[in-house]
Amino acid sequence: MLEATRWLLGAGILMWMLAWLGESAIGVNWGTVSFHKLKPSTVVGLLKDNKIPKVKVFEAEADVLKALMGSGIQVMLGIPNEMLPLLSTSPAAADSWLRQNVSAYLGKGGADIRYIAVGNEPFLTSYNGQYQNLVMPAILNIQQSLVKANLAGYIKLVVPCNADAYESSLPSQGAFRPELTQIMTQLVQFLNSNGTPFIVNIYPFLSLYDNNDFPQDYAFFEGTTHPVTDGNNVYTNAFDGNYDTLVAALSKLGYGQMPIVIGEIGWPSDGAIGAIITAAKVFNQGLISHVLSNKGTPLRPGAPPMDIYLFSLLDEGAKSILPGGFERHWGIFSFDGQAKYPLNLGLGNKELKNAKNVQYLPSRWCVASPSTDAQNVANHMRIACSVADCTTLDYGGSCNGIGEKGNISYAFNSYYQLQMQDSRSCNFDGLGVITFRDPSVGDCRFLVGVTDKGSDSSASQIRCHWWILLAFLVIQTISSFSL
C-alpha cells in the first residue's frame, strides 16, 4: 500500500510538471439546454473547424458522446448534482454509470474522455450544503469503478467549483469558506494523489452585474483606474485577483503548486445591461491573449492556468433565467452555430468559422397583425414568452428598443419558431400573421428555427439511464433486507 501511495504521488508530480511545461489549452463548454438544437455531428464539425481541442459537457448524452467518437477532441464529462445522492451511496450504481456512459464510448475510434466532473459547483452557497457531504463518497465510489474497469490511470476525477468556495478581501489572504475547510482538504488531497488539477469557474461579469460599486474596467484586461494593491503585488483585472485568491487558499492547505483549470469563464452578449456583443468580444479576446501570453499572475508568475474552458460554445435558449436573462446568451456562437463576433482563439484560425450545413426552417416569421390592438395582447405575449425565449426584450437586451408592436411580434415569432412554424401557433386569436419579410431591426434579430428532429433522443436515453441506476439501488436495498 505504501509503495502504491508513493507511486501515485510521483505520478501526480509528473503530471503537474508535464501540464505546466506546455502552453495553456483553450477549450469550450458545450451545453445543450436549448429549444433549437443543432445536430451533435454539426457541433463536432464546428469544434474541429475551429481547431478546438477540448470540450466540457455537462452530462452523458448518448448522441453527443457518439458524435465525439473518433474526433480526437478531449472530453470532460459531467455528472449532474442530482445524481450525487445515488452515486455516493451505491457502488453498483457507480459501476453501472461508468459502464453505460464512459466504457461504452471508449476504445479504438472512440471518445477521448480524459476527465469526469463529479457534480457541477456542488459547494455553491445557494445550495445550503445540500451536496456538500455527498461529493467525496461519490468520488470514492466512481474512483473504485474506474479502478475495476482499468481506467483509473487514464481518466481522472475532478470537481468544478464556483469561486464562492473561497473568500478574501485581498488575494494573498484567500481561504476556503470555513464550513468547507475539511472537505476541501480531503478533495485536494485526492486530486494531488491522482495528479489532477483543481477546477474553478470564474465570472467577472457576475461580479459586475451583482455589484453596482464594482469598477467596470477592472472586469476586463485593458487596464484599470481602480487597481487592487496587495503588498508588493498590484492587480489590474478581476481574473488575476480571483485566481490568486484560490492560489492562496490552496497554499493554506499545503497545495500552493496544484495546477488549476478554469472550468467556466466568459461574457454574455445579450439579455441584460452590460451583456452586449462588444463587451463579450473585448473580454474573451482579452482573456485569451492574457492567458496565452504566459505572463501568469502575481502569485504564479509565468504559470498561467493549465487549461481554460470558455463558457460557452453556443447560446442555450432554454436555460433558467432566474439569475437573469443573460443566462441564455453566453455563447461565442449563436444557437445555430454562427459566430457572433470575430475572435482569435489562438488555435490557428484568426477568426471563428461558422457551422456548416445547418438546416433551417423556411424563411418566414410570425408578427403582430397591423390591426393588432396592443391593449388586448398582454396575455398572449405572456403565454408566448413563458414557453419561448424572449430575453432579448429585457432591459439592456438587443431588442429592448424596438417598440411595443415590435415586442409583440418578437414574442409571437419566438413561439412560432419553437412550434416548428406550425401555422396554428401564429394565430393568437387572430392577432398574429405570417410574413415572408424578415422583421429584424438593427441588432435585434428575429430568429428562424433549425430543423433537427433528433434532439430529444439523448434526453430520453438519459431518463432511461436514470431508471436503470435507480433500479440498481432498489435491488441493492432489497438484497440487504433479504440477507
Side-chain angles (χ1 to χ4, degrees), residues 270 277 365 367 392-393 397-410 413 435 437-447:
D270 213 331
I277 283 180
W365 299 262
V367 297
T392 59
L393 297 176
S398 62
C399 297
N400 180 248
I402 61 174
E404 192 172 34
K405 206 67 168 285
N407 290 345
I408 298 168
S409 292
Y410 190 92
N413 184 65
T435 180
R437 183 177 179 180
D438 187 351
S440 299
V441 181
D443 293 332
C444 177
R445 175 189 175 198
F446 280 59
L447 64 84

Side-chain angles (χ1 to χ4, degrees), residues 341-352:
Y341 45 83
L343 187 65
N344 185 347
L345 297 175
L347 300 171
N349 297 335
K350 292 184 178 181
E351 293 187 356
L352 298 175

Side-chain angles (χ1 to χ4, degrees), residues 100 457-471:
Q100 295 177 48
S457 60
S458 59
S460 61
Q461 185 129 1
I462 289 170
R463 288 192 290 270
C464 177
H465 287 173
W466 265 96
W467 283 109
I468 292 172
L469 288 171
L470 286 170

Side-chain angles (χ1 to χ4, degrees), residues 78-98 116-120 122-123 130-148 156-160 183 186-187 190 194 469:
I79 296 177
N81 291 332
E82 293 76 17
M83 294 189 72
L84 295 180
L86 177 58
L87 296 175
S88 65
T89 56
S90 173
D95 289 345
S96 176
W97 183 89
L98 188 76
I116 295 173
V118 182
N120 184 39
F123 307 122
Q130 179 180 357
Y131 303 109
Q132 188 169 313
N133 295 321
L134 303 177
V135 173
M136 286 311 299
I139 281 177
L140 295 176
N141 280 342
I142 299 167
Q143 180 68 12
Q144 284 305 308
S145 298
L146 285 169
V147 170
K148 285 185 279 189
K156 302 298 181 180
L157 302 183
V158 294
V159 180
I183 190 170
Q186 296 171 350
L187 175 60
F190 175 86
N194 287 278
L469 288 171

Side-chain angles (χ1 to χ4, degrees), residues 31-92:
T32 59
V33 187
S34 178
F35 294 127
H36 304 279
K37 292 186 183 181
L38 293 178
K39 294 176 181 177
S41 58
T42 301
V43 179
V44 171
L46 179 66
L47 293 169
K48 293 175 71 175
D49 287 345
N50 286 281
K51 303 180 181 179
I52 297 172
K54 301 189 178 191
V55 68
K56 179 155 75 74
V57 296
F58 293 90
E59 56 188 323
E61 299 182 65
D63 51 357
V64 168
L65 291 172
K66 286 178 182 176
L68 286 165
M69 293 175 69
S71 68
I73 298 169
Q74 295 181 16
V75 181
M76 183 185 296
L77 175 61
I79 296 177
N81 291 332
E82 293 76 17
M83 294 189 72
L84 295 180
L86 177 58
L87 296 175
S88 65
T89 56
S90 173

